[in-house]
Every structure is written in C-alpha cells, then in structure tokens.
C-alpha cells in the first residue's frame, strides 16, 4: 500500500493544477495547493484566505466535506474527482451538495470563492472568538502584538494564557506548531473551543510547563507570556526547553514591570525593550474612551 503522505507526488499534483488552471482559465500561480493525505493541516483558514484552493486528500479525512460545510463554507463552489491523475469524472457543485460524501480513495477537491480576500487576518475582532471565560485583549492591541512576534509559516511558538494570540499565530504558522499553555481549566476549555471553531490543526494545548508537559512538545523559538504570579518560574521552565529562547511578555501590572529587570538579569535575557500600547476609541456618545494600556517587554538569550 502506498505511503499516505506521498499518495500525491509532484507529478500528480502538477497535473491536477494544470487541469484546473485550464478549466478556470487562470494562471497556475493563482491556485493554492494543500496536500492533507495522512496529515493534519489548517484547511479552513487556507480556504478563507485564498480564492482558489486545490486539496489533495484521502480516507484519513473521510468527513472533509461535512467539516467544511459545518464551518460555514457550504456555499463555496467545488469541483470533486477521485484518482491520482486528471480524468473525465470530475463533478461540480457546492460544498453543501457533497456534505454527506465520504472520502474513501485518493481525491482532489478544488474550491473556489472569488469574493475571498487573500490576506492574513491580523487583529481579528473579538466577536469571532468563542465567548468563553477569557477576557480578550482589544483587536488593535493584538495586531501590534502579532507584529512584534513576527510569526513565519514554519514557526514554533509557546503561548502562555494568550488564547487569541495562539489562534492568530496558528493561522500564520500554517506549517509550524503553536503550543498553548492554559493552566486554568476553564480557559483551557475556551482554547479548545476556539481551535475547533477556526478549524485549526497545528495547536497543541498543555495545562502547564511541567517536565511531563514540556517533554511532549517541540522546541519553541519564541514564547509569548501573559504575566502571572508564576512569571519567573514560567521563564525558567521555558528556558529549560530552549536555552536561547526569545520572549514577549504582556502585563498590565506595574509590579510586574518593576521586577522585569531583575528577572531578565537572573536568566541572562538581553536586549530588553519595553513598549506601552494605548488605544482610545469613541463610544456611542462620541467620547474617547481609553482601553487598558498594557506593557510589552521583549528580550532574548544570546
């Protein structure tokens, strides 16, 4: 039996790309390819940020159509075919038309929505996230945080108590891994709800930074921490995983800010930089209201 990860090789994927490029009369470079045979990838966020997506799938994602319909993509146009090479059995419809169809053999799914905005969703509004126990940071502040993190497509990042930051990072790091650390059981549940809501497959949720939990995760390049009483311990534990860790720390507490120099010196974290973000927005009476103004502290071990 063929290795699931290589069911569709370069030859087969290029052949299908050329086929649909001719069907749609568009350049092949305007089509996004996603191979999920035996893999977990962020299919829904990819579709939501690309006008044309070809998905190469197999029986390991037998309920893919239903999952896409359930996530609100039922109206999207779709071309569906089974087989490794282009053939005459391509079916056309909408995602909802195939919702009950199960994948049992290597299949190609071409999804089109010309109205899609092809852009990263940085600083998404809080209304898009699960209304759980978490008090989310304002989306404008989150946009600044995401800019400071500088996430790339293959990044591995540990995020401590930063639910919305974890989701936005996971969407960008589509080929990477996000480790969401959620010590509060209710917040952990909210994190799980957000992962399911956004169709994210590259987030690993752990309850703490114990040796047992750290042993299960890859080595992060960067850590984003919403500061708590355990900040010093959190930094120490993360450095045990990556001695050259980079840090971005979020706090609204002046006491935490006053201790940062001491903590950074203790763990030889250099290049300390402190940024305060203040956002004011008009209310229903056209009066400016200032949101909570957090400090962001960055540093790294060299």
């Amino acid at each position: 039996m063929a290795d699931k990860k290589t069911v569709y090789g370069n030859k087969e994927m290029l052949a299908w790309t050329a086929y649909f490029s001719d069907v749609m009369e568009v350049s092949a470079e305007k089509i996004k390819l996603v191979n999920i045979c035996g893999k977990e990838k962020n299919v829904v966020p990819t579709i939501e940020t690309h006008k044309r997506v070809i998905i190469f799938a197999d029986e390991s994602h037998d309920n893919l159509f239903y999952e896409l319909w359930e996530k609100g993509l039922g109206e999207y146009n779709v071309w569906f075919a089974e087989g490794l090479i282009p053939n005459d059995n391509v079916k056309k419809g909408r995602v909802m038309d195939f919702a009950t169809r199960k994948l049992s053999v290597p299949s190609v799914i071409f999804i089109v929505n010309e109205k899609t905005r092809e852009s990263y969703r940085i600083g998404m509004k809080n209304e898009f996230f699960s209304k759980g126990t978490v008090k989310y940071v304002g989306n404008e502040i989150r946009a600044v945080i995401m800019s400071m993190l500088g996430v790339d497509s293959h990044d591995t990042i540990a995020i401590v108590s930063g639910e919305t930051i974890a989701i936005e990072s996971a969407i960008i790091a589509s080929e990477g891994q996000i480790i969401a650390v959620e010590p509060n059981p209710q917040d952990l549940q909210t994190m799980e709800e957000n992962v399911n809501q956004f169709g994210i497959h590259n987030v690993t949720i752990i309850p703490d930074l114990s040796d047992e939990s750290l042993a299960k995760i890859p080595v992060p390049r960067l850590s984003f921490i919403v500061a708590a009483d355990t900040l010093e311990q959190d930094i120490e534990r993360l450095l045990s995983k990556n001695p050259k860790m980079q840090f971005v720390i979020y706090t609204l507490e002046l006491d935490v800010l006053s201790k940062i120099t001491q903590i950074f010196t203790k763990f030889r974290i250099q290049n300390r930089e402190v940024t305060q973000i203040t956002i004011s927005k008009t209310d229903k009476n056209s009066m400016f209201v200032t949101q909570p103004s957090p400090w962001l502290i960055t540093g790294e071990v060299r």
Side-chain angles (χ1 to χ4, degrees):
M1 183 177 179
D3 183 351
K4 288 182 179 180
K5 293 185 178 180
T6 57
V7 168
Y8 286 98
N10 291 338
K11 180 179 179 181
E12 291 79 14
M13 290 192 289
L14 289 174
W16 277 111
T17 303
Y19 174 86
F20 285 117
S21 177
D22 291 341
V23 168
M24 298 300 296
E25 297 183 347
V26 298
S27 171
E29 65 184 353
K30 295 184 178 181
I31 300 175
K32 175 70 175 179
L33 308 186
V34 182
N35 186 353
I36 61 173
C37 295
K39 307 174 185 178
E40 292 291 348
K41 292 195 173 184
N42 295 339
V43 175
V44 173
T46 300
I47 294 172
E48 290 179 337
T49 53
H50 293 83
K51 296 180 185 296
R52 307 168 195 89
V53 179
I54 298 178
I55 304 168
F56 300 94
D58 60 8
E59 69 275 9
S60 65
H61 294 274
D62 58 342
N63 287 318
L64 180 61
F65 277 119
Y66 178 80
E67 292 169 5
L68 297 179
W69 171 77
E70 187 180 38
K71 292 294 187 296
L73 306 181
E75 295 290 341
Y76 284 32
N77 293 321
V78 63
W79 284 257
F80 169 70
E82 297 178 338
L84 296 178
I85 59 176
N87 53 67
D88 295 329
N89 296 318
V90 178
K91 301 176 176 61
K92 181 182 178 182
R94 292 179 296 176
V95 169
M96 66 173 63
D97 301 327
F98 295 90
T100 59
R101 178 100 183 212
K102 287 184 176 291
L103 305 184
S104 58
V105 298
S107 304
V108 179
I109 300 165
F110 180 43
I111 296 181
V112 177
N113 183 14
E114 296 291 349
K115 296 180 181 179
T116 297
R117 291 188 60 194
E118 296 188 323
S119 61
Y120 284 127
R121 297 182 296 177
I122 299 297
M124 289 184 286
K125 292 186 180 299
N126 290 340
E127 62 197 56
F128 294 125
F129 295 93
S130 172
K131 299 185 184 302
T133 58
V134 179
K135 183 174 176 59
Y136 297 128
V137 66
N139 64 293
E140 298 90 353
I141 293 175
R142 194 178 332 111
V144 175
I145 294 172
M146 294 304 302
S147 176
M148 295 180 73
L149 292 179
V151 182
D152 68 38
S153 61
H154 289 77
D155 237 334
T156 301
I157 300 176
I159 297 177
V160 181
S161 300
E163 294 77 13
T164 56
I165 301 298
I167 293 298
E168 293 209 25
S169 296
I171 292 173
I172 298 173
S174 57
E175 301 295 330
Q177 186 69 31
I178 304 301
I179 299 99
V181 187
E182 295 293 343
N184 184 304
Q186 292 179 313
D187 293 350
L188 188 149
Q189 181 178 347
T190 300
M191 184 74 247
E192 291 174 340
E193 291 172 358
N194 277 315
V195 166
N196 179 66
Q197 183 168 314
F198 283 89
I200 303 296
H201 292 283
N202 58 336
V203 175
T204 299
I205 306 173
I206 57 177
D208 51 42
L209 292 170
S210 64
D211 289 339
E212 181 181 0
S213 295
L214 289 174
K216 300 176 182 177
I217 65 171
V219 177
R221 170 188 70 87
L222 169 71
S223 294
F224 174 82
I225 305 174
V226 176
D229 294 339
T230 58
L231 175 62
E232 185 171 340
Q233 181 183 356
D234 291 345
I235 291 175
E236 183 175 19
R237 300 300 301 139
L238 288 164
L239 285 172
S240 73
K241 187 69 176 181
N242 178 8
K244 295 188 179 298
M245 183 77 72
Q246 300 175 39
F247 292 94
V248 177
I249 297 168
Y250 172 103
T251 185
L252 290 166
E253 305 294 332
L254 185 58
D255 287 348
V256 172
L257 183 65
S258 65
K259 295 176 183 177
I260 283 294
T261 299
Q262 176 186 348
I263 295 174
F264 275 23
T265 300
K266 177 178 179 179
F267 295 110
R268 299 181 180 180
I269 301 172
Q270 304 174 17
N271 298 335
R272 177 174 60 89
E273 185 173 277
V274 180
T275 303
Q276 186 173 35
I277 307 172
T278 300
I279 301 291
S280 296
K281 300 178 70 173
T282 53
D283 61 13
K284 61 181 181 180
N285 298 316
S286 298
M287 299 291 292
F288 275 101
V289 177
T290 302
Q291 299 181 22
S293 302
W295 288 282
L296 296 171
I297 306 103
T298 60
E300 59 186 319
V301 179
R302 290 190 172 183

